[in-house]
Amino acid sequence: MTTAVDPRFHLAWFKSFTPHDWRGPWAGPEDREWMNGDSHVDFLQALERARFDFLMLEDSLMVSDTYAGTAEASLAQGGYAPKGDPALLASMLLSETTRIGVIATMSSTFVPPWLLARTSATIDHLSGGRFGWNCVTSSENRAAQNFGMDALPPHDERYERAAEYVDLVKQLWDSWEDGALVMDEETNTYVDHTKVRPIHFEGRWHRSRGPLNLMRPPQGHPVICQAGGSPAGKAFAAANADVLLALPKGLADMKRYRDDIRELAVEAGRDPDDIKVMFIVSPILADTDEEARELQALMNANAEAKIKAQMVNWSATMEIDFSRFDLDEPLPDDASTNGHQSTLSTFRKFAAGRTLREAFTAYRTESIEVVGSPATAADVLQEAMEFVGGDGFLIMGGTTNRRYVHEITDGLVPELQRRGLVRTEYAGAHLRDHLREF
Amino acid sequence: MSADMFHLGWFGSFIPTTWTTGWDGTDAARWMDGKFYVDKVRTLERACFDFILFEDSSMVSDVYGGSSEATLKRGGWAPKGDPVALAPILARATERIGISVTMSTSFYPPWMLARSVATLDHMSRGRIGWNIVTSSEDLAAKNFGMDALPPHDERYARADEFVDLVTQLWDSWDADALVMDRERGVYVDHTKVRPIDFVGKYYKSRGPLNTLRPPQGRPVLTQAGGSPAGRQFASRYADMVMALPKGVPAMKEYRDDIRMRVAAEGRDPDRTKVMFVVSPILGETHQHALDRKAAKDEAVRQHPEGQLIGWSGSMEIDFSRFDLDKPLPDDVQTNGHQSTLANFRKWANGRTLREACVAYRTESMELIGTPDEVAAQMDEAMQEVGGDGFLIWNQPHNRRYIGEIADGLVPALQKRGLMRTGYGHEHFRDNLLEF
């Protein structure tokens, strides 16, 4: 295979259907109507111009009030809520582009499987095979309470349910064979019924008779994406995912993580090259390395604000009230969570006994630090991929604005393209084609 | 003397276009790319329709002949795309026309529905409607892990609570919650976002929603209710009721009944529009239109299966078992659709099944003639009924027919001052309530 010699890696972006940067010096004019989708259309078109594989749209289903027992900090900050339905945004964005993929998050704990199978099949058709589903099990009791439950099922049970759920959804997609739509004028037959079958799925947690009421999606199965760091999450991903979002810290852990996943994939009977591991980075770019370092220092200058922002976010996702902790002590040993377990353990490892203040000041949501001129940033990414072995990076801009997006798409990407490290043209039509191109 | 201005909507599904009429183009092979629907909704906006409404269903029916063969062969109940996923694309392609999508209270989690509809309302800048259905097919329920649907009246009791909950979720954010105070670093004022702690008989939800209040506050609610429970439900919530009473006197009676019920609920009856389903048959001359109708009838007489498949699916009775040239046997029973079956018998009134298929129309009144003649017929009906407009049910589903309505019938209506020539407002509800 060419994968051994092809030096190219994949690029994608991680975002939610939330406002872009609204406070920074490059936030642009006030946009109170961001939910109309306009700015996200511009954003995705920029990514397509830069030949990204995909945009991944995260989601959550609640307004968090864990931090200090009120929604005040979470809502003041924005970012967690308000947030729009990402599957609907995906449909709109895909209709304004022709090659790039969009992956939308939908929860296996809350969305009825038949509905999810149909919505994603529909969007895959509408986009000509460029849709993906980011399968999450959800991690917040607050979300469960919006859906009439008192609390979420325990962490590992959620993955058992999810495995059954994915199996069911795939069977629904497969309930129509390719070629079921025959349009035979002589026999006056639109669909050949022998190619459409009920599935009679009876699982431990889910039931569905089937078939779906729609043709098989262009990709067969829309791309399945997952972010699993815990043992249960990794096993699930290795068995089911086409692409993985990962946040191990540092090159050694990145390599270990990817090797693990590939090994688990082989154990699950899959070709490990069919699973792409994408590592989260948040590059800080400038004309010179020195200027980029200054920007980084400027971002960390308001340490109090930075610490609080991080704590508010983690209070939401982990449902641990970080406002209770003494910032001048390490994270208490008994702090635990029913969600985002790997994030918490990665943070513990990263903190390594430092106080919360020190650890939060140093912490960023990224696998490796990428700070410098486009050339320096390209060096860092290139070296990382040479060491780890693949498969690419997921840009997470923190707060995105047009200037930052263009620094990536019009500064960093051309530099990577000159080095032959990322694609300059799309080769395939489907999202899965992009992922498997190299 | 003519009627007051009335409303036009379009009623259809996200389904294949015609492919055997001779006027089919190439859409039947590609309809799932959405482009036919983008063109369609733009055409309807050019013609100043109030809205397009998408019905939906969640199954491949296999009642007729005990197999899905006939239904799939004709593309009857399936394939059908998710109209909710299509709506963002249609919203982006248009500026003023309303878009109403069907979502079932029996299958959607309420919080999810509230968020999806709110998102669509934002994406369309206030032009989304939710067409509320409770679903009526056990086959669909089985796709969602149930053995059967709850009984008819319980479905409405559930729907009642469901709509109450969804409305409270939309109201859980005040309209001015988004403050964007850059200096204080406050994006949303948390005092304007509240949990709802809803605990009903059938549903629970803590809330609040996690998204901004929809531009319309409450997106437009549309509904089709024929039964007493359905009418009562509609009178409590609906901005638009889609109706199928047969003939002008029944139309008038239906509208008067809805208005009376709306008033009894303490609402202004002018704020619930009753719109009647029709499928005009147009021609260059009156005779052309009559010829077309005769040809349509003859086609159904030769091939009545299309209609029988539809009835089989909706009543869950296998119509393939019966002699086409006799009336429906007296001993036929159904589990869940007694009133539908009873209404059918009453309407069929001794007709053979074949002739029943020919006579059956998904329309409140027959409209046949030149565009100007049909405009006059609609005028007369509205004068008699009092309002509020018509829903065109696309038959046949192709560009030619859409063009006949948009570029033939609509200008004739506009010339008579019966239909708008522009939109007065940005939001769906405001346009619906404009007259």
Side-chain angles (χ1 to χ4, degrees):
Chain A
M1 275 301 289
T2 52
T3 43
V5 291
D6 195 328
R8 289 181 296 175
F9 54 81
H10 301 266
L11 285 182
W13 201 299
F14 179 96
K15 188 164 182 327
S16 317
F17 188 6
T18 49
H20 295 273
D21 178 14
W22 60 280
R23 286 188 76 186
W26 316 107
E30 189 174 275
D31 181 12
R32 286 170 179 264
E33 295 187 354
W34 56 274
M35 282 193 71
N36 62 30
D38 283 354
S39 57
H40 283 87
V41 167
D42 292 348
F43 172 50
L44 192 70
Q45 287 174 343
L47 300 187
E48 185 171 67
R49 227 174 23 245
R51 308 296 182 248
F52 271 55
D53 281 52
F54 63 88
L55 166 68
M56 153 41 209
L57 291 166
E58 170 279 351
D59 196 22
S60 59
L61 304 166
M62 54 152 201
V63 172
S64 175
D65 58 2
T66 305
Y67 185 84
T70 158
E72 181 171 5
S74 168
L75 286 170
Q77 195 167 303
Y80 215 75
K83 189 179 283 179
D85 182 330
L88 299 175
L89 180 63
S91 179
M92 178 183 274
L93 298 182
L94 287 162
S95 76
E96 294 283 351
T97 50
T98 57
R99 305 300 285 275
I100 191 169
V102 177
I103 295 176
T105 299
M106 289 183 269
S107 169
S108 59
T109 303
F110 301 129
V111 183
W114 201 87
L115 201 62
L116 185 140
R118 181 166 181 239
T119 300
S120 28
T122 299
I123 301 176
D124 204 46
H125 277 289
L126 286 166
S127 63
R130 295 183 290 129
F131 185 63
W133 165 36
N134 180 41
C135 175
V136 299
T137 65
S138 296
S139 49
E140 303 93 6
N141 287 331
R142 274 287 179 259
Q145 288 153 11
N146 285 333
F147 285 79
M149 313 170 193
D150 294 322
L152 284 172
H155 180 275
D156 287 8
E157 183 188 315
R158 289 205 304 281
Y159 277 104
E160 287 173 38
R161 286 169 181 261
E164 188 183 291
Y165 188 111
V166 171
D167 183 19
L168 165 52
V169 166
K170 285 181 175 174
Q171 288 191 35
L172 284 171
W173 287 331
D174 290 340
S175 64
W176 289 56
E177 286 179 28
D178 288 328
L181 180 60
V182 291
M183 284 184 69
D184 181 342
E185 293 196 32
E186 277 187 21
T187 58
N188 201 20
T189 300
Y190 190 70
V191 171
D192 176 355
H193 78 288
T194 65
K195 296 181 171 167
V196 179
R197 282 172 300 271
I199 60 169
H200 298 296
F201 189 97
E202 297 279 343
R204 184 166 164 206
W205 287 287
H206 306 286
R207 293 172 73 199
S208 183
R209 180 187 182 276
L212 205 59
N213 64 347
L214 188 60
M215 284 90 73
R216 194 158 190 266
Q219 297 184 94
H221 301 166
V223 161
I224 294 180
C225 170
Q226 217 256 331
S230 66
K234 277 158 96 172
F236 174 79
N240 296 295
D242 297 290
V243 59
L244 260 173
L245 319 179
L247 192 56
K249 284 283 188 184
L251 293 179
D253 280 4
M254 286 161 70
K255 182 165 168 48
R256 192 171 304 125
Y257 181 89
R258 180 170 179 270
D259 290 348
D260 264 9
I261 291 289
R262 292 174 65 84
E263 202 178 302
L264 287 167
V266 172
E267 282 170 23
R270 298 180 64 201
D271 179 346
D273 287 340
D274 289 350
I275 303 184
K276 304 302 180 189
V277 179
M278 308 281 285
F279 299 99
I280 294 174
V281 289
S282 303
I284 300 173
L285 301 173
D287 291 334
T288 63
D289 292 353
E290 193 189 352
E291 200 188 317
R293 288 284 164 206
E294 282 169 19
L295 276 179
Q296 186 185 31
L298 211 61
M299 284 177 183
N300 291 339
N302 191 349
E304 291 300 321
K306 186 187 173 211
I307 291 167
K308 185 171 174 190
Q310 188 65 59
M311 291 200 303
V312 169
N313 269 336
W314 281 6
S315 293
T317 55
M318 298 182 194
E319 296 192 316
I320 298 170
D321 181 2
F322 278 85
S323 78
R324 290 185 291 122
F325 302 139
D326 184 342
L327 283 176
D328 296 308
E329 297 284 334
L331 181 69
D333 289 337
D334 60 355
S336 71
T337 176
N338 186 27
H340 295 263
Q341 294 189 346
S342 62
T343 312
L344 186 62
S345 64
T346 302
F347 178 69
R348 239 184 235 293
K349 194 172 161 192
F350 171 84
R354 283 183 280 186
T355 67
L356 276 174
R357 187 185 306 282
E358 290 162 346
F360 272 125
T361 305
Y363 187 84
R364 292 194 83 212
T365 304
E366 59 190 7
S367 275
I368 46 168
E369 193 178 274
V370 184
V371 182
S373 66
T376 302
D379 287 343
V380 173
L381 298 179
Q382 182 170 10
E383 282 161 24
M385 281 296 104
E386 281 166 3
F387 181 84
V388 175
D391 296 292
F393 296 98
L394 187 72
I395 312 280
M396 184 164 157
T399 53
T400 54
N401 56 48
R402 288 169 199 271
R403 183 180 192 260
Y404 183 68
V405 171
H406 293 143
E407 284 175 354
I408 301 288
T409 59
D410 300 349
L412 177 59
V413 168
E415 178 63 29
L416 294 169
Q417 286 174 332
R418 278 191 287 275
R419 299 178 185 204
L421 295 173
V422 297
R423 73 163 66 80
T424 53
E425 277 309 329
Y426 292 105
H430 295 168
L431 172 54
R432 189 174 282 102
D433 297 340
H434 303 336
L435 291 172
R436 296 200 181 166
E437 188 183 344
F438 39 81
Chain B
M1 170 72 194
S2 64
D4 292 337
M5 201 172 268
F6 55 78
H7 301 268
L8 275 196
W10 195 285
F11 174 56
S13 326
F14 185 12
I15 51 171
T17 53
T18 59
W19 61 287
T20 55
T21 66
W23 307 100
D24 309 309
T26 52
D27 294 306
R30 305 179 190 158
W31 58 283
M32 274 302 299
D33 68 13
K35 292 187 171 55
F36 170 84
Y37 286 92
V38 166
D39 292 345
K40 177 175 177 177
V41 73
R42 282 183 171 147
T43 299
L44 298 180
E45 185 172 66
R46 188 159 45 75
C48 299
F49 271 62
D50 276 60
F51 62 91
I52 183 169
L53 186 151
F54 287 90
E55 71 79 56
D56 196 25
S57 59
S58 302
M59 57 165 198
V60 176
S61 178
D62 57 6
V63 179
Y64 183 86
S67 153
S68 62
E69 178 171 6
T71 178
L72 287 170
K73 193 175 163 185
R74 303 182 59 100
W77 283 88
K80 191 179 284 182
D82 180 351
V84 180
L86 176 64
I89 298 173
L90 303 184
R92 190 162 177 82
T94 52
E95 300 279 336
R96 285 290 191 270
I97 190 169
I99 300 162
S100 184
V101 289
T102 296
M103 300 163 92
S104 168
T105 54
S106 295
F107 304 136
Y108 261 86
W111 199 91
M112 182 178 160
L113 184 142
R115 214 244 314 221
S116 296
V117 173
T119 300
L120 288 174
D121 205 43
H122 282 284
M123 288 179 148
S124 62
R125 299 167 166 88
R127 295 185 289 124
I128 279 297
W130 166 30
N131 186 48
I132 308 167
V133 300
T134 65
S135 296
S136 52
E137 300 90 12
D138 287 342
L139 200 53
K142 291 188 172 93
N143 286 332
F144 286 81
M146 312 168 198
D147 292 320
L149 284 169
H152 180 274
D153 286 7
E154 185 190 320
R155 288 206 304 278
Y156 275 104
R158 285 173 177 267
D160 209 64
E161 194 179 296
F162 191 115
V163 175
D164 183 17
L165 165 52
V166 164
T167 307
Q168 289 191 36
L169 285 170
W170 288 329
D171 287 339
S172 66
W173 288 59
D174 289 347
D176 57 353
L178 178 60
V179 291
M180 280 186 86
D181 183 334
R182 294 187 187 202
E183 296 202 348
R184 285 168 50 232
V186 176
Y187 192 69
V188 168
D189 177 353
H190 76 288
T191 65
K192 296 181 171 173
V193 180
R194 289 165 301 270
I196 61 168
D197 293 314
F198 187 99
V199 181
K201 185 170 167 195
Y202 306 104
Y203 302 104
K204 268 171 75 182
S205 182
R206 181 183 181 275
L209 208 58
N210 70 342
T211 204
L212 301 172
R213 188 178 166 81
Q216 296 185 97
R218 196 187 69 177
V220 166
L221 301 181
T222 67
Q223 210 244 334
S227 67
R231 290 186 193 202
Q232 200 52 41
F233 179 82
S235 66
R236 267 200 292 284
Y237 299 109
D239 298 293
M240 193 286 295
V241 183
M242 171 176 33
L244 200 53
K246 297 286 181 182
V248 171
M251 287 159 68
K252 179 167 170 49
E253 188 195 316
Y254 182 93
R255 180 169 180 269
D256 289 347
D257 179 58
I258 291 286
R259 290 175 64 85
M260 197 188 71
R261 288 172 189 262
V262 170
E265 290 287 334
R267 298 174 61 212
D268 176 356
D270 287 341
R271 292 182 70 89
T272 299
K273 303 300 180 190
V274 179
M275 295 177 65
F276 302 97
V277 178
V278 290
S279 297
I281 298 175
L282 300 168
E284 287 70 15
T285 64
H286 190 73
Q287 191 57 47
H288 276 150
L290 290 179
D291 291 348
R292 280 187 176 181
K293 178 185 176 336
K296 266 179 100 166
D297 286 353
E298 190 50 34
V300 174
R301 193 169 282 118
Q302 296 305 317
H303 296 286
E305 311 86 52
Q307 188 54 58
L308 296 174
I309 291 163
W311 288 336
S312 295
S314 60
M315 293 186 236
E316 300 194 309
I317 295 168
D318 178 4
F319 276 83
S320 77
R321 294 184 285 124
F322 310 128
D323 185 339
L324 281 171
D325 296 306
K326 289 191 176 151
L328 184 68
D330 288 336
D331 57 354
V332 173
Q333 297 293 328
T334 172
N335 276 335
H337 308 269
Q338 281 94 349
S339 67
T340 317
L341 179 61
N343 289 341
F344 176 80
R345 279 190 197 285
K346 191 175 151 203
W347 168 81
N349 194 22
R351 286 187 182 96
T352 67
L353 276 179
R354 190 187 300 279
E355 287 310 313
C357 287
V358 174
Y360 187 80
R361 294 269 184 276
T362 305
E363 62 187 2
S364 270
M365 56 184 293
E366 200 166 62
L367 296 170
I368 303 174
T370 65
D372 192 56
E373 287 168 351
V374 168
Q377 294 161 21
M378 293 167 95
D379 185 2
E380 261 176 58
M382 281 295 107
Q383 287 186 45
E384 195 63 34
V385 174
D388 296 292
F390 296 95
L391 270 165
I392 310 287
W393 188 57
N394 44 288
Q395 279 277 56
H397 188 219
N398 58 37
R399 292 173 192 269
R400 183 180 192 247
Y401 184 68
I402 296 164
E404 285 175 0
I405 298 293
D407 298 330
L409 178 60
V410 167
L413 290 168
Q414 287 171 332
K415 211 165 116 190
R416 291 169 176 261
L418 294 171
M419 204 190 151
R420 66 167 92 241
T421 54
Y423 293 93
H425 302 278
E426 293 186 358
H427 290 173
F428 181 1
R429 180 178 289 102
D430 293 339
N431 285 317
L432 199 57
L433 297 180
E434 195 181 346
F435 42 83

